[in-house]
Amino acid sequence: MKKSYLCMAGAMLLASTAASAQAVKAERGFYVGLEGGAARYDIDVVRSRNVTEKNDAGMLRLGGGYQLSPNFSLEAGYFRIGDTTLDYADAHTREHAKANVSGFDLTAAYRFSEGLPGVYVKGGLIQSTVKETARSETRDLNNISIDTVQVSASGTGYLLGVGYEYDLARSVSIGGSYTRLENLGGRSNIAVNLWSATLKYRF
């Protein structure tokens, strides 16, 4: 799986090189952005043949930042990622669990102006909350027992990413990126891979 992520990042870099002649240098100043795409959860849990997982979900992020120079920018944003689900079933028990993530991030990005113009790398910190709901149903000869539990965990993690940004004009740009979010909810066993498209407006 990790090899596929590296291949996708490499393909993104090659595509950006082909389009490099189109880039327009961004001015310094504030900007806002809307980002949306697909997420895939990477959760370290005990698995068996009785477990069914759905790890794909949608994501949405609103951000704003400041372009310090044509190469450097600082940005803060709020993001939300949809549900991942896990189902377990055997002769006597059925369990259904789901979780989603929301939070804030603070990132710094470096955008290349030579060699690979438009390509950027980014890194930052995340403060996020993982909300989980679990429902279990146990059957025996005489009755059915149903339990529902809701929990949440909050904490700090980090992100790393690579992307390409194309300036349509001095005020508007579009782009695409891959981002890896680690330690979501402060838990080392929960990470997410994001593939997203971005629309940005500079003031």
Side-chain angles (χ1 to χ4, degrees):
M1 185 65 70
K2 290 184 178 179
K3 290 183 179 179
S4 66
Y5 301 150
L6 294 174
C7 290
M8 292 189 67
M12 186 179 295
L13 294 178
L14 291 174
S16 67
T17 303
S20 61
Q22 305 179 51
V24 176
K25 286 189 177 181
E27 299 288 346
R28 295 174 175 83
F30 291 97
Y31 64 85
V32 293
L34 177 64
E35 184 176 357
R40 183 169 182 82
Y41 285 87
D42 184 1
I43 303 177
D44 184 13
V45 296
V46 177
R47 294 174 172 84
S48 74
R49 63 182 181 180
N50 294 326
V51 173
T52 302
E53 295 177 82
K54 176 184 175 295
N55 290 331
D56 297 317
M59 64 81 60
L60 184 66
R61 179 180 179 274
L62 299 174
Y66 188 81
Q67 190 77 36
L68 300 168
S69 73
N71 300 104
F72 289 98
S73 63
L74 292 175
E75 183 173 332
Y78 169 79
F79 65 90
R80 181 174 176 81
I81 304 171
D83 291 340
T84 177
T85 62
L86 184 149
D87 290 280
Y88 172 85
D90 60 25
H92 304 287
T93 305
R94 294 182 183 274
E95 297 180 356
H96 174 77
K98 65 179 181 179
N100 58 63
V101 179
S102 60
F104 298 89
D105 61 68
L106 179 63
T107 63
Y110 177 81
R111 182 177 176 181
F112 295 94
S113 55
E114 297 181 1
L116 295 171
V119 174
Y120 64 87
V121 292
K122 63 180 179 179
L125 297 176
I126 307 165
Q127 179 63 36
S128 62
T129 299
V130 178
K131 295 182 179 180
E132 300 175 82
T133 302
R135 183 179 186 274
S136 64
E137 179 181 306
T138 305
R139 298 172 179 265
D140 59 29
L141 294 176
N142 299 316
N143 56 54
I144 300 174
S145 176
I146 299 175
D147 294 310
T148 301
V149 177
Q150 293 181 325
V151 297
S152 65
S154 299
T156 303
Y158 66 93
L159 66 85
L160 297 170
V162 60
Y164 176 74
E165 184 176 356
Y166 171 60
D167 293 329
L168 297 173
R170 291 194 179 275
S171 297
V172 180
S173 67
I174 57 174
S177 66
Y178 163 75
T179 308
R180 173 78 172 183
L181 308 181
E182 290 278 359
N183 294 357
L184 290 168
R187 296 169 56 176
S188 60
N189 68 324
I190 301 180
V192 167
N193 299 290
L194 298 179
W195 294 268
S196 59
T198 305
L199 175 64
K200 183 185 293 184
Y201 178 81
R202 291 184 290 269
F203 297 98

